[in-house]
Amino acid sequence: GNSVTQMEGPVTLSEEAFLTINCTYTATGYPSLFWYVQYPGEGLQLLLKATKADDKGSNKGFEATYRKETTSFHLEKGSVQVSDSAVYFCALSEGGGSNYKLTFGKGTLLTVNP
Amino acid sequence: KAGVTQTPRYLIKTRGQQVTLSCSPISGHRSVSWYQQTPGQGLQFLFEYFSETQRNKGNFPGRFSGRQFSNSRSEMNVSTLELGDSALYLCASSLGGGAHAGELFFGEGSRLTVL
């Protein structure tokens, strides 16, 4: 079946540091890939998405590129802020009639210190 | 525009009881899906409804069930509760497929504790 593996946290960075959270996936077919973020006490929010190979999703300074050859979708940000502290989830959707069934990674807790 | 609303936010039950959780999706969203979030297993898909029909189901026992009403509101029910059912239950609604495929809007969740 489909699966998503992301780097285990927690990740602790200083403000303005560079962030990378690794994500790799296993899937049949051509899934869409997502990063969701969960701030403390809140539900998940879509951060960015990519629907086909070589697509780059971007939002709020975060970027991730859909790499089919390495089955990866790593999340990056050039300069993190304290407000970026949250749990980040990589996910894929199987597409077609299963567009709404997302398979999530375990999540990576990011803490940014001032 | 109001977000996804889940009720109750917190509840405590004892083993063997049953529980019903409610979810009101964003206006205009016809798809509602449910996820269970636990520290050990992470986020796991329960089921998804569209226009009152269950379209997808995850690998959970039959004690977990759900339904969707004509106004798109959804409920999920867990019968004969077990300690392992303690979790945050998240509801998500979606606008639809095409360019928005996989874009879910989550509620804040219902935290269930089973004693």
Side-chain angles (χ1 to χ4, degrees), chain A residues 1 15-16 19-20 23 38-39 44 52 66 77 80 87 92 101-102 105:
Chain A
E15 207 165 23
E16 299 184 4
L19 168 70
T20 299
C23 171
Q38 186 174 31
Y39 297 102
L44 279 74
K52 61 183 187 296
Y66 189 143
K77 186 175 185 182
V80 294
V87 181
L92 66 82
K101 179 182 178 181
L102 296 187

Side-chain angles (χ1 to χ4, degrees), chain A residues 80-104:
Chain A
V80 294
Q81 305 300 311
V82 173
S83 57
D84 293 327
S85 297
V87 181
Y88 292 81
F89 294 90
C90 184
L92 66 82
S93 77
E94 300 171 13
S98 298
N99 273 335
Y100 311 98
K101 179 182 178 181
L102 296 187
T103 300
F104 285 89

Side-chain angles (χ1 to χ4, degrees), chain A residues 5-12 19-23 35-38 75 84-90 105-111:
Chain A
T5 303
Q6 60 182 105
M7 64 186 287
E8 293 194 17
V11 173
T12 302
L19 168 70
T20 299
I21 300 178
N22 291 336
C23 171
W35 277 100
Y36 278 81
V37 58
Q38 186 174 31
L75 181 69
D84 293 327
S85 297
V87 181
Y88 292 81
F89 294 90
C90 184
K106 289 290 180 72
T108 301
L109 173 63
L110 170 66
T111 301

